[in-house]
Amino acid sequence: MTTTDTTVLIDHELSADLAAAALSLARRFQAGATLWVVSPQWEPHAHHVAVEFVHPVIMGKRALPSVSLVEADPVAQCRVATRPGDVVLAVASADQPQVRDIMRRAPAWGADTVWIGSGPRPEHGAATHILWVDSADPMIPATGRFVLMYHLLWELTHVCFEHPGLLKPTADTCTDDGCVTCGDEGRLAEVVAAPSDPFEGVLVRTASGEERVDATLVGDVAVHDLLVVHGGAAITRIGADEEVW
């Protein structure tokens, strides 16, 4: 897509990213997800995204559950609101600290993430889907480029609903709780409550729900610490300045 001055608004790479994000989002909505939207720097974008998805302006289209979270602490809001299977969408620069914290914690909440922004890109893997304008122009968030991206994301998500076969789990999606390969992977967990008795285990939240794990290897833990758990035990702690991707 271009303007009359030949400026490319959506290039081939971003087009592919939008298509992949829309398909993923449609599958999540089909399974009962809610979309939670944050934009600490540009609150109107959070409201606008939520309105687009929840308001079916095209006759016959579905109203999709979407809520903007705009209180002072979006990390705490997302933690309380998000359920396994939900999606958190952020409109923010790559250095926005609250959004970075949400993105690193979302896997422990069982949530997919979509990150829309411009300028220097987040690290690869910082979100499930990164929709980015590679421009150093500080006015990009106010020019309509972001609006165009999430309008296209909304429209493409509805296009996916018109093809029910696309909404089925892919062949490589593991649904076996006893899968040996998945069982051998470390999982991200967020501490819910530290034990009064060290032999009780630590109550943590993972993508599959709450569980107790042995934290002997990592020592004392505090609420909201991020841990990697494996085989019922916490094997390492993720520091506040460490990324999980």
Side-chain angles (χ1 to χ4, degrees), residues 36-115:
W36 305 98
V37 190
V38 298
S39 186
Q41 294 160 291
W42 310 299
E43 184 178 312
H45 281 305
H47 291 300
H48 196 163
V49 174
V51 167
E52 289 301 327
F53 280 90
V54 81
H55 182 49
V57 295
I58 300 175
M59 185 67 69
K61 299 300 182 183
R62 295 170 53 177
L64 300 171
S66 180
V67 182
S68 57
L69 303 177
V70 294
E71 296 297 328
D73 189 348
V75 181
Q77 277 194 296
C78 285
R79 178 181 291 115
V80 172
T82 304
R83 305 163 302 163
D86 284 351
V87 181
V88 179
L89 184 152
V91 182
S93 62
D95 60 355
Q96 212 293 321
Q98 293 168 310
V99 168
R100 292 185 68 85
D101 201 24
I102 289 169
M103 295 295 164
R104 67 197 293 268
R105 293 176 184 276
W109 305 335
D112 272 359
T113 49
V114 180
W115 197 342

Side-chain angles (χ1 to χ4, degrees), residues 23 26-27 30 158-171:
L23 177 57
R27 287 174 173 167
Q30 185 73 4
H158 279 292
V159 169
C160 292
F161 285 132
E162 295 172 0
H163 302 274
L166 293 175
L167 305 180
K168 298 177 181 179
T170 57

Side-chain angles (χ1 to χ4, degrees), residues 1 7-8 40 53-54 60 68 100 105 125 140 146 183-184 229:
M1 181 177 297
T7 299
V8 177
F53 280 90
V54 81
S68 57
R100 292 185 68 85
R105 293 176 184 276
I140 288 293
F146 287 0
D184 195 44
V229 300

Side-chain angles (χ1 to χ4, degrees), residues 146-203:
F146 287 0
V147 176
L148 174 62
M149 277 198 286
Y150 51 72
H151 267 261
L152 287 172
L153 181 63
W154 168 70
E155 292 174 7
L156 289 171
T157 299
H158 279 292
V159 169
C160 292
F161 285 132
E162 295 172 0
H163 302 274
L166 293 175
L167 305 180
K168 298 177 181 179
T170 57
D172 60 350
T173 299
C174 179
T175 57
D176 182 359
D177 291 338
C179 173
V180 174
T181 301
C182 295
D184 195 44
E185 294 179 348
R187 296 173 295 141
L188 189 67
E190 185 181 60
V191 175
V192 175
S196 55
D197 181 342
F199 295 103
E200 283 183 352
V202 177
L203 183 64

